[in-house]
Amino acid sequence: ELKVEQNPLFLSMQEGKNYTIYCNYSTTSDRLYWYRQDPGKSLESLFVLLSNGAVKQEGRLMASLDTKARLSTLHITAAVHDLSATYFCAVDFGNEKLTFGTGTRLTIIP
Amino acid sequence: AAGVIQSPRHLIKEKRETATLKCYPIPRHDTVYWYQQGPGQDPQFLISFYEKMQSDKGSIPDRFSAQQFSDYHSELNMSSLELGDSALYFCASSNLGQLNTEAFFGQGTRLTVV
């Protein structure tokens, strides 16, 4: 079965702190995507990771991919309130569609 | 840059009615995907089209059908609507013929069945 799991599902953190969201997937893939979704809004593409060891950074967010461990991480550095959203990872298992993780609802507390 | 356009943005229907959702992909994208996202849920894949042919099918009820037209826009037709069909419906497009492609999502259609 093709599965994508994220943890934690919910995360409250204070401004200025660092934290990591984890995304595990069930079978081989080297195409993983991170999306951000604000309540009732669309999915905004954050990162596209296409090879083992890929690391991408944008502002306070950094994403990495370890295809051997079937694991991707989204690291948040010195969180600010504007980062409050739900973050999804999604995996392309080679079947020309995206399988989404359960999402991590992130709340940044001032 | 042009994005994926969905219409309508909001739709309210009664049980047993029908609804049609439209999606206009990014120009030159050859693939369209439809996803359903219930409240507090992750997006669930419904169906996809590549070059106007259905390429994959997910957990789409038999009451739903979809097609992609010659201009690459797609329509999701939903009949005999049920309360449980209330959700956000997203369309995404990509260019599978392009290396390092990614899927871009539209703003979604919020369907409420009453």
Side-chain angles (χ1 to χ4, degrees), chain B:
Chain B
V4 178
I5 298 173
Q6 291 186 245
S7 69
R9 293 291 306 279
H10 302 274
L11 191 57
I12 300 175
K13 290 285 187 178
E14 295 187 351
K15 283 194 304 184
R16 292 179 288 278
E17 285 193 315
T18 61
T20 298
L21 279 54
K22 296 185 178 182
C23 170
Y24 297 85
I26 292 172
R28 292 181 293 283
H29 278 195
D30 54 23
T31 305
V32 166
Y33 313 83
W34 285 97
Y35 285 84
Q36 178 192 57
Q37 186 178 30
Q41 305 292 313
D42 56 289
Q44 294 294 313
F45 173 74
L46 292 177
I47 196 167
S48 63
F49 293 87
Y50 170 69
E51 285 290 348
K52 294 159 280 184
M53 298 287 289
Q54 181 182 309
S55 56
D56 200 359
K57 201 170 181 180
S59 50
I60 182 170
D62 292 339
R63 299 178 288 109
F64 294 7
S65 65
Q67 55 183 324
Q68 187 178 28
F69 295 86
S70 58
D71 64 352
Y72 290 91
H73 95 272
S74 179
E75 295 184 2
L76 177 66
N77 299 293
M78 310 159 72
S79 63
S80 302
L81 287 169
E82 302 173 356
L83 295 178
D85 296 329
S86 296
L88 263 173
Y89 290 84
F90 288 108
C91 171
S93 74
S94 68
N95 187 352
L96 283 186
Q98 179 182 356
L99 190 65
N100 300 337
T101 189
E102 63 177 295
F104 295 88
F105 284 79
Q107 292 298 307
T109 294
R110 181 176 292 280
L111 172 66
T112 304
V113 181
V114 297

Side-chain angles (χ1 to χ4, degrees), chain A residues 31 33 35 37 40-43 45 48 50 88 95-98 100-102 105, chain B residues 33 35 37 41-43 45 55-56 88 90 96 100-103 105-107 110:
Chain A
R31 302 174 72 85
Y33 307 82
Y35 288 90
Q37 187 178 37
K41 303 293 186 181
S42 184
L43 293 142
S45 177
V48 180
L50 299 175
F88 289 97
N95 52 2
E96 299 174 359
K97 66 184 182 190
L98 295 178
F100 281 82
T102 47
R105 182 172 294 180
Chain B
Y33 313 83
Y35 285 84
Q37 186 178 30
Q41 305 292 313
D42 56 289
F45 173 74
S55 56
D56 200 359
L88 263 173
F90 288 108
L96 283 186
N100 300 337
T101 189
E102 63 177 295
F105 284 79
Q107 292 298 307
R110 181 176 292 280

Side-chain angles (χ1 to χ4, degrees), chain A residues 71-97:
Chain A
L71 170 68
S72 179
T73 60
L74 179 66
H75 187 73
I76 302 149
T77 303
V80 293
H81 180 69
D82 286 352
L83 291 179
S84 296
T86 299
Y87 293 84
F88 289 97
C89 64
V91 178
D92 180 352
F93 288 110
N95 52 2
E96 299 174 359
K97 66 184 182 190

